[in-house]
Amino acid sequence: MASMRSTSVGAGLAIARLWLFFSEVCMRATISIDEAHGYGADEPVPDKVRGHDAAVAAYDTAHGYEGGIAALAKRMGQNPNTLTHKVNLQNTTHHLTLRDAIELQWQSRDFRILHAMADELDHVCIRSTPAHSEGDPLDTLMRLQMDFADYVQALGEALTRREGGVSRNQMRKAEHHAAEVVASVGHALAMLRGLMREEPKA
């Protein structure tokens, strides 16, 4: 009995330490609310003109670049006034081409245009080169577990409130977290691949 109590106490302390660690991480985290979480389960999503989100994303990317739109235009090899007109939502004479959109994101390292287009076409974007392929392996494992927990929670919320059917917002939230899990699995595999030992030479 004494050994069982000792084991139970030890497990309890371990859980408490883990909870404190997660609490500290969450307190330090910067939280942004994406469209998957911006609306309640039954709250209607506003109607949008097709392509509007990508156009807004282009405007926000250009004007949100550190150093200003002039600095970004210089990196892209464009005239600042021309780029300003191209991302202006009210402008009808200048248009951002696909090549412009790719270069805009490449030079700014801001991929919100890509995500806006994918979201509008019911797709998701996952990095082909994992951001966490290097670094602490335990941190990578922890991220995977946390992403999976968020995914399970999204599924649980949809299933426990499914009277009348699963809402579009519940589906969007589940898809968002599913994509995060897929990305985390890729990150974990890349990390593991980086730790592989060399095969012995014959």
Side-chain angles (χ1 to χ4, degrees):
M1 291 292 292
S3 61
M4 290 178 63
R5 290 197 192 95
S6 177
T7 301
S8 178
V9 170
L13 288 173
I15 292 172
R17 291 193 189 100
L18 188 60
W19 175 255
L20 286 172
F21 173 73
F22 282 154
S23 298
E24 290 175 0
V25 170
C26 292
M27 287 296 289
R28 292 196 301 267
T30 299
I31 299 173
S32 60
I33 301 176
D34 52 68
E35 191 176 272
H37 304 82
Y39 300 93
D42 299 313
E43 186 177 354
V45 178
D47 291 332
K48 293 174 288 190
V49 178
R50 186 171 296 153
H52 178 73
D53 281 357
V56 172
Y59 177 89
D60 291 341
T61 300
H63 287 277
Y65 181 73
E66 185 176 354
I69 193 170
L72 180 57
K74 183 177 180 180
R75 290 181 62 91
M76 294 175 61
Q78 290 201 18
N79 182 288
N81 289 331
T82 301
L83 182 59
T84 299
H85 289 312
K86 285 184 175 183
V87 298
N88 185 343
L89 299 175
Q90 307 302 321
N91 194 292
T92 59
T93 59
H94 293 70
H95 303 284
L96 196 73
T97 67
L98 287 175
R99 289 185 181 277
D100 289 335
I102 292 172
E103 189 66 16
L104 182 68
Q105 294 174 92
W106 183 257
Q107 295 298 341
S108 66
R109 311 308 295 171
D110 185 332
F111 307 106
R112 69 182 79 186
I113 300 173
L114 176 67
H115 286 279
M117 293 176 69
D119 182 66
E120 192 159 344
L121 297 170
D122 293 326
H123 283 67
V124 294
C125 300
I126 300 171
R127 288 179 61 92
S128 59
T129 305
H132 306 295
S133 58
E134 298 180 356
D136 187 353
L138 293 180
D139 180 63
T140 302
L141 182 61
M142 182 190 74
R143 288 174 182 273
L144 172 60
Q145 294 291 340
M146 292 174 70
D147 287 337
F148 185 71
D150 288 338
Y151 171 60
V152 172
Q153 182 180 357
L155 287 180
E157 289 176 355
L159 292 173
T160 55
R161 304 172 188 172
R162 66 181 186 277
E163 292 184 13
V166 174
S167 73
R168 181 183 177 188
N169 294 324
Q170 289 170 331
M171 190 66 210
R172 182 184 292 109
K173 184 175 181 180
E175 288 174 340
H176 168 78
H177 286 299
E180 292 296 309
V181 171
V182 172
S184 287
V185 169
H187 297 168
L189 289 174
M191 174 272 297
L192 199 61
R193 191 173 294 110
L195 296 174
M196 287 180 64
R197 62 175 179 266
E198 294 184 4
E199 292 293 332
K201 296 180 180 180

